[in-house]
Coordinates of all heavy atoms in Angstrom, one line a residue:
M170 N 0.9 -1.2 0.0 CA 0.0 0.0 0.0 C 0.9 1.2 0.0 O 1.8 1.3 0.8 CB -0.9 0.0 1.2 CG -1.8 -1.2 1.4 SD -3.3 -1.2 0.5 CE -4.1 0.3 0.9
A171 N 0.5 2.1 -0.8 CA 1.3 3.4 -0.9 C 0.8 4.3 0.2 O -0.4 4.3 0.6 CB 1.0 4.1 -2.2
P172 N 1.6 5.1 0.8 CA 1.2 6.1 1.8 C 0.2 7.1 1.3 O 0.2 7.4 0.1 CB 2.5 6.7 2.3 CG 3.5 6.5 1.2 CD 3.1 5.3 0.5
A173 N -0.6 7.6 2.2 CA -1.6 8.6 1.8 C -0.9 9.8 1.1 O 0.2 10.2 1.5 CB -2.4 9.1 3.0
G174 N -1.5 10.3 0.0 CA -0.9 11.3 -0.7 C 0.1 11.0 -1.8 O 0.6 11.8 -2.6
A175 N 0.5 9.7 -1.8 CA 1.5 9.2 -2.8 C 0.8 9.1 -4.2 O -0.4 8.8 -4.3 CB 2.1 7.9 -2.4
S176 N 1.6 9.4 -5.2 CA 1.1 9.2 -6.6 C 1.7 7.9 -7.1 O 2.9 7.7 -7.0 CB 1.4 10.4 -7.4 OG 0.8 11.5 -6.9
V177 N 0.9 7.1 -7.8 CA 1.4 5.9 -8.4 C 1.2 5.9 -9.9 O 0.2 6.3 -10.4 CB 0.6 4.7 -7.8 CG1 1.1 3.4 -8.5 CG2 0.8 4.6 -6.3
V178 N 2.3 5.6 -10.6 CA 2.3 5.6 -12.1 C 2.9 4.2 -12.5 O 4.0 3.9 -12.0 CB 3.1 6.7 -12.7 CG1 3.0 6.6 -14.2 CG2 2.5 8.1 -12.3
K179 N 2.2 3.5 -13.3 CA 2.7 2.2 -13.8 C 3.4 2.4 -15.2 O 2.8 3.1 -16.0 CB 1.6 1.2 -13.9 CG 2.1 -0.2 -14.4 CD 1.0 -1.2 -14.2 CE 1.6 -2.6 -14.4 NZ 2.5 -3.0 -13.4
A180 N 4.6 1.9 -15.3 CA 5.3 2.0 -16.6 C 6.3 0.9 -16.7 O 6.7 0.3 -15.7 CB 5.9 3.3 -16.8
F181 N 6.8 0.6 -17.9 CA 7.9 -0.3 -18.2 C 7.6 -1.8 -18.1 O 8.5 -2.5 -18.5 CB 9.1 0.1 -17.4 CG 9.8 1.4 -17.7 CD1 9.6 2.5 -16.9 CD2 10.5 1.5 -18.9 CE1 10.1 3.7 -17.2 CE2 11.1 2.7 -19.2 CZ 10.9 3.8 -18.4
N182 N 6.5 -2.2 -17.7 CA 6.4 -3.7 -17.5 C 6.1 -4.4 -18.8 O 6.1 -5.7 -18.8 CB 5.2 -4.0 -16.5 CG 3.9 -3.8 -17.1 OD1 3.5 -2.7 -17.5 ND2 3.1 -4.9 -17.1
T183 N 5.9 -3.7 -19.9 CA 5.7 -4.5 -21.2 C 6.9 -4.5 -22.1 O 6.7 -4.9 -23.2 CB 4.5 -3.8 -21.9 OG1 4.8 -2.4 -22.2 CG2 3.2 -3.8 -21.0
I184 N 8.1 -4.1 -21.6 CA 9.2 -4.0 -22.4 C 10.4 -4.9 -21.8 O 10.7 -4.7 -20.6 CB 9.7 -2.5 -22.5 CG1 8.6 -1.7 -23.1 CG2 10.9 -2.5 -23.4 CD1 8.9 -0.2 -22.9
F185 N 11.0 -5.7 -22.7 CA 12.1 -6.5 -22.2 C 13.4 -5.6 -22.2 O 13.6 -4.7 -22.9 CB 12.3 -7.7 -23.2 CG 11.1 -8.6 -23.2 CD1 10.5 -8.8 -24.4 CD2 10.6 -9.2 -22.1 CE1 9.4 -9.7 -24.5 CE2 9.5 -10.0 -22.1 CZ 8.9 -10.3 -23.3
R186 N 14.2 -6.0 -21.3 CA 15.5 -5.3 -21.1 C 16.3 -5.1 -22.4 O 16.8 -4.1 -22.7 CB 16.4 -6.0 -20.0 CG 17.7 -5.3 -19.8 CD 18.6 -6.1 -18.9 NE 18.7 -7.5 -19.2 CZ 19.6 -8.0 -20.1 NH1 20.5 -7.2 -20.7 NH2 19.6 -9.3 -20.4
S187 N 16.4 -6.2 -23.1 CA 17.2 -6.2 -24.3 C 16.7 -5.2 -25.3 O 17.4 -4.6 -26.1 CB 17.3 -7.6 -25.0 OG 16.0 -8.0 -25.3
V188 N 15.4 -5.0 -25.3 CA 14.8 -4.0 -26.3 C 15.1 -2.6 -25.8 O 15.4 -1.7 -26.6 CB 13.2 -4.2 -26.4 CG1 12.6 -3.2 -27.2 CG2 13.0 -5.6 -27.0
L189 N 15.0 -2.4 -24.5 CA 15.3 -1.1 -23.9 C 16.7 -0.7 -24.3 O 17.1 0.5 -24.5 CB 15.1 -1.0 -22.4 CG 13.7 -0.9 -21.9 CD1 13.7 -1.1 -20.4 CD2 13.1 0.4 -22.3
E190 N 17.6 -1.6 -24.3 CA 19.0 -1.4 -24.6 C 19.3 -1.0 -26.0 O 20.2 -0.3 -26.4 CB 19.9 -2.6 -24.2 CG 20.0 -2.8 -22.7 CD 20.7 -4.1 -22.3 OE1 20.8 -5.0 -23.2 OE2 21.0 -4.3 -21.2
K191 N 18.4 -1.5 -26.9 CA 18.7 -1.4 -28.4 C 17.9 -0.4 -29.1 O 18.3 0.1 -30.1 CB 18.4 -2.7 -29.0 CG 19.4 -3.8 -28.6 CD 19.0 -5.1 -29.3 CE 19.9 -6.2 -28.8 NZ 19.5 -7.5 -29.3
G192 N 16.7 -0.1 -28.6 CA 15.8 0.7 -29.5 C 15.0 1.8 -28.9 O 15.3 2.3 -27.8
R193 N 14.0 2.2 -29.6 CA 13.1 3.2 -29.2 C 11.7 2.7 -29.1 O 10.8 3.0 -29.9 CB 13.1 4.4 -30.2 CG 12.3 5.6 -29.8 CD 12.3 6.7 -30.8 NE 11.2 7.5 -30.7 CZ 10.9 8.4 -29.8 NH1 11.7 8.5 -28.8 NH2 9.9 9.2 -29.8
P194 N 11.4 1.9 -28.1 CA 10.1 1.3 -27.9 C 9.1 2.3 -27.3 O 9.5 3.3 -26.7 CB 10.3 0.1 -27.0 CG 11.4 0.5 -26.2 CD 12.4 1.3 -27.1
D195 N 7.9 2.1 -27.5 CA 6.8 2.8 -26.8 C 6.7 2.3 -25.4 O 6.8 1.1 -25.1 CB 5.5 2.6 -27.5 CG 5.5 3.2 -28.9 OD1 6.2 4.1 -29.2 OD2 4.7 2.7 -29.7
V196 N 6.5 3.2 -24.4 CA 6.4 2.9 -23.0 C 5.0 3.3 -22.6 O 4.6 4.4 -22.6 CB 7.4 3.6 -22.1 CG1 7.2 3.2 -20.7 CG2 8.8 3.2 -22.6
F197 N 4.1 2.3 -22.3 CA 2.8 2.5 -21.9 C 2.8 2.9 -20.4 O 3.5 2.3 -19.6 CB 1.9 1.3 -22.0 CG 1.9 0.8 -23.5 CD1 2.3 -0.5 -23.8 CD2 1.5 1.6 -24.5 CE1 2.3 -1.0 -25.1 CE2 1.5 1.1 -25.8 CZ 1.9 -0.2 -26.1
I198 N 2.0 4.0 -20.1 CA 2.0 4.5 -18.7 C 0.5 4.6 -18.3 O -0.4 5.0 -19.1 CB 2.7 5.8 -18.4 CG1 2.2 6.9 -19.3 CG2 4.2 5.6 -18.8 CD1 2.8 8.3 -18.9
A199 N 0.2 4.4 -17.0 CA -1.1 4.5 -16.4 C -1.0 5.2 -15.1 O -0.1 4.9 -14.3 CB -1.8 3.2 -16.3
G200 N -1.9 6.1 -14.8 CA -1.9 6.7 -13.4 C -3.0 7.7 -13.3 O -3.5 8.2 -14.4
D201 N -3.4 8.1 -12.1 CA -4.5 9.0 -11.9 C -4.0 10.4 -11.8 O -4.8 11.4 -11.9 CB -5.3 8.6 -10.7 CG -6.1 7.3 -10.9 OD1 -6.4 7.0 -12.0 OD2 -6.4 6.6 -9.9
D202 N -2.8 10.7 -11.4 CA -2.3 12.0 -11.1 C -1.6 12.5 -12.4 O -0.5 12.1 -12.7 CB -1.3 11.9 -9.9 CG -0.8 13.3 -9.5 OD1 -0.4 14.1 -10.4 OD2 -0.8 13.5 -8.3
A203 N -2.2 13.5 -13.0 CA -1.6 14.1 -14.2 C -0.2 14.6 -14.0 O 0.6 14.5 -14.9 CB -2.5 15.2 -14.8
R204 N 0.1 15.3 -12.9 CA 1.4 15.8 -12.7 C 2.4 14.7 -12.5 O 3.5 14.8 -13.1 CB 1.4 16.7 -11.4 CG 2.6 17.4 -11.1 CD 2.5 18.3 -10.0 NE 3.8 18.7 -9.5 CZ 4.0 19.5 -8.5 NH1 3.0 20.0 -7.8 NH2 5.2 19.8 -8.1
A205 N 2.1 13.6 -11.8 CA 3.0 12.5 -11.7 C 3.2 11.8 -13.0 O 4.4 11.5 -13.3 CB 2.4 11.5 -10.7
K206 N 2.2 11.7 -13.8 CA 2.3 11.0 -15.1 C 3.2 11.9 -16.0 O 4.0 11.4 -16.8 CB 1.0 10.8 -15.8 CG 0.3 9.6 -15.3 CD -0.7 9.0 -16.3 CE -1.9 9.9 -16.5 NZ -3.0 9.3 -17.2
A207 N 3.1 13.2 -15.9 CA 3.9 14.1 -16.7 C 5.4 14.0 -16.3 O 6.3 14.0 -17.2 CB 3.5 15.6 -16.5
G208 N 5.6 13.8 -15.1 CA 7.0 13.6 -14.6 C 7.6 12.3 -15.1 O 8.8 12.2 -15.5
V209 N 6.8 11.2 -15.0 CA 7.2 9.9 -15.6 C 7.4 10.0 -17.1 O 8.4 9.5 -17.6 CB 6.2 8.8 -15.2 CG1 6.6 7.5 -15.9 CG2 6.2 8.6 -13.7
A210 N 6.5 10.7 -17.8 CA 6.6 10.8 -19.2 C 7.9 11.6 -19.6 O 8.6 11.2 -20.5 CB 5.4 11.5 -19.8
A211 N 8.2 12.6 -18.8 CA 9.5 13.4 -19.1 C 10.7 12.5 -18.8 O 11.7 12.5 -19.6 CB 9.5 14.6 -18.2
F212 N 10.7 11.7 -17.8 CA 11.8 10.7 -17.6 C 11.9 9.8 -18.7 O 13.0 9.5 -19.2 CB 11.5 10.0 -16.3 CG 12.5 8.8 -16.1 CD1 13.9 9.1 -15.8 CD2 12.1 7.5 -16.1 CE1 14.8 8.1 -15.6 CE2 13.0 6.5 -15.9 CZ 14.4 6.8 -15.7
I213 N 10.8 9.2 -19.2 CA 10.8 8.3 -20.3 C 11.4 8.9 -21.6 O 12.2 8.3 -22.2 CB 9.4 7.7 -20.6 CG1 9.0 6.8 -19.4 CG2 9.3 7.0 -21.9 CD1 7.5 6.4 -19.4
E214 N 11.0 10.1 -21.8 CA 11.5 10.9 -23.0 C 13.0 11.2 -22.8 O 13.7 11.1 -23.8 CB 10.7 12.2 -23.2 CG 9.3 12.0 -23.7 CD 8.5 13.2 -23.7 OE1 8.8 14.2 -23.1 OE2 7.5 13.2 -24.5
S215 N 13.4 11.4 -21.6 CA 14.8 11.6 -21.4 C 15.7 10.4 -21.7 O 16.9 10.6 -22.0 CB 15.1 12.1 -20.0 OG 15.1 11.0 -19.1
L216 N 15.1 9.3 -21.7 CA 15.8 8.0 -22.1 C 15.7 7.8 -23.6 O 16.2 6.7 -24.1 CB 15.2 6.8 -21.4 CG 15.2 6.9 -19.9 CD1 14.4 5.7 -19.3 CD2 16.7 6.9 -19.4
G217 N 15.1 8.7 -24.4 CA 14.9 8.5 -25.8 C 13.8 7.6 -26.2 O 13.8 7.1 -27.3
L218 N 12.9 7.4 -25.3 CA 11.7 6.5 -25.5 C 10.4 7.3 -25.7 O 10.4 8.5 -25.4 CB 11.6 5.5 -24.3 CG 12.8 4.8 -24.0 CD1 12.6 4.0 -22.7 CD2 13.2 3.9 -25.1
R219 N 9.3 6.7 -26.1 CA 8.1 7.4 -26.3 C 7.0 7.0 -25.3 O 6.6 5.9 -25.3 CB 7.6 7.2 -27.7 CG 6.3 8.0 -28.0 CD 5.9 7.9 -29.5 NE 5.3 6.6 -29.8 CZ 4.4 6.4 -30.8 NH1 4.1 7.4 -31.6 NH2 4.0 5.2 -31.1
P220 N 6.6 7.9 -24.4 CA 5.6 7.5 -23.4 C 4.2 7.6 -24.1 O 3.9 8.5 -24.9 CB 5.7 8.6 -22.3 CG 6.3 9.8 -23.1 CD 7.2 9.2 -24.1
L221 N 3.4 6.6 -23.8 CA 2.0 6.6 -24.4 C 1.1 6.4 -23.2 O 1.1 5.3 -22.5 CB 1.8 5.5 -25.4 CG 2.6 5.7 -26.7 CD1 2.4 4.4 -27.6 CD2 2.1 6.9 -27.4
D222 N 0.3 7.3 -22.9 CA -0.7 7.4 -21.8 C -1.9 6.5 -22.1 O -2.6 6.8 -23.1 CB -1.1 8.8 -21.5 CG -1.9 9.0 -20.2 OD1 -2.4 7.9 -19.7 OD2 -2.0 10.1 -19.8
V223 N -2.1 5.4 -21.3 CA -3.3 4.6 -21.6 C -4.4 4.9 -20.7 O -5.5 4.2 -20.7 CB -2.9 3.1 -21.4 CG1 -1.8 2.7 -22.4 CG2 -2.5 2.7 -20.0
G224 N -4.3 5.9 -19.8 CA -5.4 6.3 -19.0 C -5.1 6.2 -17.5 O -3.9 6.3 -17.1
G225 N -6.1 6.1 -16.7 CA -6.0 6.1 -15.2 C -5.4 4.8 -14.7 O -5.1 3.9 -15.4
L226 N -5.2 4.8 -13.4 CA -4.5 3.7 -12.7 C -5.3 2.4 -12.8 O -4.7 1.3 -12.8 CB -4.3 4.0 -11.2 CG -3.3 3.2 -10.5 CD1 -1.9 3.2 -11.2 CD2 -3.1 3.7 -9.1
K227 N -6.6 2.5 -13.1 CA -7.4 1.3 -13.3 C -6.9 0.5 -14.6 O -7.0 -0.7 -14.7 CB -8.9 1.6 -13.5 CG -9.5 1.9 -12.2 CD -11.0 2.1 -12.4 CE -11.7 2.5 -11.0 NZ -13.1 2.6 -11.1
M228 N -6.2 1.2 -15.5 CA -5.7 0.6 -16.7 C -4.4 -0.2 -16.4 O -4.0 -1.0 -17.2 CB -5.4 1.7 -17.7 CG -6.7 2.3 -18.3 SD -7.7 1.0 -19.2 CE -6.7 0.7 -20.6
A229 N -3.8 0.0 -15.2 CA -2.6 -0.7 -14.8 C -2.9 -2.2 -14.8 O -2.0 -3.0 -15.2 CB -2.1 -0.3 -13.4
H230 N -4.1 -2.6 -14.4 CA -4.5 -4.0 -14.5 C -4.3 -4.6 -15.9 O -3.8 -5.7 -16.1 CB -6.0 -4.1 -14.0 CG -6.6 -5.5 -14.3 ND1 -6.3 -6.6 -13.5 CD2 -7.4 -5.9 -15.3 CE1 -7.0 -7.6 -14.0 NE2 -7.6 -7.2 -15.1
W231 N -4.7 -3.8 -16.9 CA -4.6 -4.3 -18.3 C -3.2 -4.2 -18.8 O -2.8 -5.1 -19.6 CB -5.5 -3.4 -19.2 CG -6.9 -3.6 -18.7 CD1 -7.7 -2.7 -18.0 CD2 -7.8 -4.7 -18.8 NE1 -8.9 -3.2 -17.8 CE2 -9.0 -4.5 -18.2 CE3 -7.5 -6.0 -19.4 CZ2 -10.0 -5.4 -18.2 CZ3 -8.6 -6.9 -19.4 CH2 -9.8 -6.6 -18.8
L232 N -2.3 -3.3 -18.2 CA -0.9 -3.4 -18.6 C -0.3 -4.6 -18.0 O 0.7 -5.2 -18.7 CB -0.2 -2.1 -18.0 CG -0.5 -0.8 -18.8 CD1 0.3 0.3 -18.2 CD2 -0.2 -0.9 -20.3
E233 N -0.7 -5.1 -16.9 CA -0.2 -6.4 -16.4 C -0.5 -7.5 -17.4 O 0.3 -8.4 -17.7 CB -0.9 -6.8 -15.0 CG -0.3 -5.9 -13.9 CD 1.1 -6.2 -13.6 OE1 1.6 -7.4 -13.7 OE2 1.8 -5.2 -13.3
G234 N -1.8 -7.5 -18.0 CA -2.1 -8.5 -19.0 C -1.3 -8.4 -20.2 O -0.9 -9.4 -20.8
V235 N -1.0 -7.2 -20.6 CA -0.1 -7.0 -21.8 C 1.3 -7.6 -21.5 O 1.9 -8.2 -22.4 CB -0.1 -5.5 -22.2 CG1 1.0 -5.2 -23.3 CG2 -1.4 -5.0 -22.7
G236 N 1.8 -7.4 -20.3 CA 3.1 -8.0 -19.9 C 3.0 -9.5 -20.1 O 4.0 -10.1 -20.6
V237 N 2.0 -10.1 -19.6 CA 1.8 -11.5 -19.8 C 1.7 -12.0 -21.2 O 2.4 -13.0 -21.6 CB 0.6 -12.0 -19.0 CG1 0.3 -13.5 -19.3 CG2 0.7 -11.8 -17.5
V238 N 1.1 -11.2 -22.1 CA 1.0 -11.5 -23.5 C 2.4 -11.4 -24.1 O 2.8 -12.3 -24.9 CB 0.0 -10.5 -24.2 CG1 0.2 -10.6 -25.7 CG2 -1.4 -10.8 -23.8
T239 N 3.2 -10.4 -23.7 CA 4.6 -10.3 -24.3 C 5.4 -11.5 -23.9 O 6.2 -12.0 -24.8 CB 5.3 -9.0 -23.9 OG1 5.4 -8.9 -22.5 CG2 4.6 -7.8 -24.5
V240 N 5.3 -12.0 -22.7 CA 6.0 -13.2 -22.3 C 5.5 -14.4 -23.1 O 6.3 -15.2 -23.6 CB 5.8 -13.5 -20.8 CG1 6.4 -14.8 -20.4 CG2 6.5 -12.4 -20.0
G241 N 4.2 -14.5 -23.4 CA 3.7 -15.6 -24.2 C 4.2 -15.5 -25.6 O 4.5 -16.6 -26.2
L242 N 4.2 -14.3 -26.2 CA 4.7 -14.2 -27.5 C 6.2 -14.5 -27.6 O 6.7 -15.2 -28.5 CB 4.5 -12.7 -28.0 CG 3.1 -12.4 -28.4 CD1 3.0 -10.9 -28.5 CD2 2.7 -13.1 -29.6
A243 N 7.0 -14.1 -26.6 CA 8.4 -14.5 -26.6 C 8.6 -16.0 -26.6 O 9.6 -16.5 -27.2 CB 9.1 -13.8 -25.3
G244 N 7.8 -16.7 -25.8 CA 8.0 -18.1 -25.7 C 7.4 -18.9 -26.8 O 7.7 -20.1 -27.0
N245 N 6.5 -18.3 -27.6 CA 5.7 -19.0 -28.6 C 5.7 -18.4 -29.9 O 6.5 -18.7 -30.8 CB 4.3 -19.3 -28.1 CG 4.3 -20.1 -26.8 OD1 4.5 -21.3 -26.9 ND2 4.1 -19.4 -25.7
G246 N 4.8 -17.4 -30.1 CA 4.5 -16.8 -31.4 C 5.7 -16.1 -32.1 O 6.0 -16.3 -33.2
V247 N 6.4 -15.3 -31.3 CA 7.6 -14.6 -31.8 C 8.9 -15.5 -31.7 O 9.7 -15.6 -32.5 CB 7.8 -13.2 -31.1 CG1 9.1 -12.6 -31.6 CG2 6.6 -12.3 -31.4
G248 N 8.9 -16.2 -30.5 CA 10.0 -17.1 -30.3 C 11.3 -16.6 -29.8 O 12.3 -17.3 -29.7
H249 N 11.3 -15.3 -29.4 CA 12.6 -14.7 -28.8 C 12.1 -13.5 -28.1 O 11.0 -13.1 -28.1 CB 13.6 -14.3 -29.9 CG 13.1 -13.4 -31.0 ND1 13.0 -12.0 -30.8 CD2 12.6 -13.6 -32.2 CE1 12.5 -11.5 -31.9 NE2 12.2 -12.4 -32.7
W250 N 13.1 -12.9 -27.3 CA 12.8 -11.8 -26.4 C 13.1 -10.4 -27.0 O 13.0 -9.4 -26.3 CB 13.5 -11.9 -25.1 CG 13.2 -13.2 -24.4 CD1 13.8 -14.4 -24.6 CD2 12.2 -13.5 -23.5 NE1 13.3 -15.4 -23.8 CE2 12.2 -14.9 -23.1 CE3 11.2 -12.7 -22.9 CZ2 11.3 -15.4 -22.2 CZ3 10.3 -13.3 -22.0 CH2 10.4 -14.6 -21.6
D251 N 13.5 -10.4 -28.2 CA 14.0 -9.1 -28.8 C 12.9 -8.4 -29.7 O 13.0 -8.2 -30.9 CB 15.2 -9.4 -29.7 CG 16.1 -8.2 -30.0 OD1 15.9 -7.2 -29.3 OD2 16.9 -8.3 -30.9
F252 N 11.8 -8.1 -29.0 CA 10.7 -7.4 -29.7 C 10.0 -6.5 -28.7 O 10.2 -6.7 -27.5 CB 9.7 -8.4 -30.3 CG 8.9 -9.1 -29.4 CD1 7.6 -8.6 -29.1 CD2 9.3 -10.3 -28.7 CE1 6.8 -9.3 -28.1 CE2 8.5 -10.9 -27.8 CZ 7.3 -10.4 -27.5
A253 N 9.1 -5.6 -29.2 CA 8.3 -4.8 -28.3 C 7.0 -4.5 -29.0 O 6.9 -4.5 -30.2 CB 9.0 -3.4 -28.0
L254 N 6.0 -4.4 -28.1 CA 4.7 -4.0 -28.6 C 4.7 -2.5 -28.7 O 5.3 -1.8 -27.8 CB 3.6 -4.5 -27.7 CG 3.5 -6.0 -27.5 CD1 2.3 -6.3 -26.6 CD2 3.3 -6.7 -28.8
G255 N 4.0 -1.9 -29.7 CA 4.0 -0.5 -29.8 C 2.8 0.0 -30.6 O 1.9 -0.8 -31.0
V256 N 2.8 1.2 -30.9 CA 1.7 1.9 -31.7 C 2.3 2.4 -33.0 O 3.3 3.2 -32.9 CB 1.0 2.9 -30.9 CG1 0.0 3.7 -31.7 CG2 0.4 2.3 -29.7
N257 N 1.8 2.1 -34.1 CA 2.1 2.7 -35.4 C 1.0 3.6 -35.8 O -0.2 3.1 -35.8 CB 2.3 1.6 -36.5 CG 3.6 0.9 -36.4 OD1 4.6 1.4 -35.9 ND2 3.6 -0.4 -36.7
E258 N 1.3 4.8 -36.1 CA 0.3 5.8 -36.5 C 0.3 5.9 -38.0 O 1.3 6.1 -38.6 CB 0.5 7.1 -35.8 CG 0.5 7.0 -34.3 CD 0.8 8.3 -33.6 OE1 0.1 9.3 -33.9 OE2 1.7 8.3 -32.7
F259 N -0.9 5.8 -38.6 CA -1.0 5.9 -40.0 C -1.8 7.1 -40.4 O -2.8 7.4 -39.7 CB -1.7 4.6 -40.6 CG -0.9 3.4 -40.4 CD1 -1.3 2.5 -39.3 CD2 0.2 3.1 -41.1 CE1 -0.6 1.4 -39.1 CE2 0.9 1.9 -40.9 CZ 0.6 1.1 -39.9
T260 N -1.4 7.9 -41.3 CA -2.1 9.1 -41.7 C -2.7 8.9 -43.1 O -2.1 8.2 -43.9 CB -1.2 10.3 -41.7 OG1 -0.1 10.1 -42.5 CG2 -0.8 10.6 -40.3
G261 N -3.7 9.6 -43.4 CA -4.3 9.7 -44.7 C -4.7 8.7 -45.5 O -5.0 8.4 -46.5

């Protein structure tokens, strides 16, 4: 349990270490405190990564599921740990 007044932001659980060392993956973040999320987003950007806000702290539950999916993909569908889930934006 976090102490009263603490802000909690979830991030980084969907990215493997080897990918962080090599590339520019998207980092999904969730939290209820906009100021705390902005601070975490700034930290993520300082690492050369792209923060993507998925919503409030209730979304942290779903980020846990995404982490489990990445482990499943690493062991089965992709077959290795050198990948990341992210967002591709298409225009026009």
Side-chain angles (χ1 to χ4, degrees):
M170 302 279 303
S176 297
V177 176
V178 178
K179 181 169 191 64
F181 290 104
N182 75 301
T183 63
I184 304 170
F185 300 121
R186 177 187 51 87
S187 62
V188 174
L189 283 171
E190 292 172 346
K191 293 179 184 176
R193 182 181 157 71
D195 294 334
V196 178
F197 303 122
I198 63 173
D201 292 335
D202 184 314
R204 185 172 164 182
K206 281 201 293 190
V209 171
F212 171 70
I213 290 167
E214 289 173 340
S215 78
L216 299 174
L218 308 173
R219 182 171 76 153
L221 292 175
D222 187 344
V223 301
L226 199 54
K227 288 185 178 183
M228 291 299 289
H230 168 78
W231 299 105
L232 288 180
E233 286 294 320
V235 172
V237 172
V238 168
T239 59
V240 170
L242 286 168
N245 298 285
V247 175
H249 58 82
W250 302 89
D251 200 18
F252 73 95
L254 301 180
V256 175
N257 286 326
E258 299 178 52
F259 299 99
T260 59

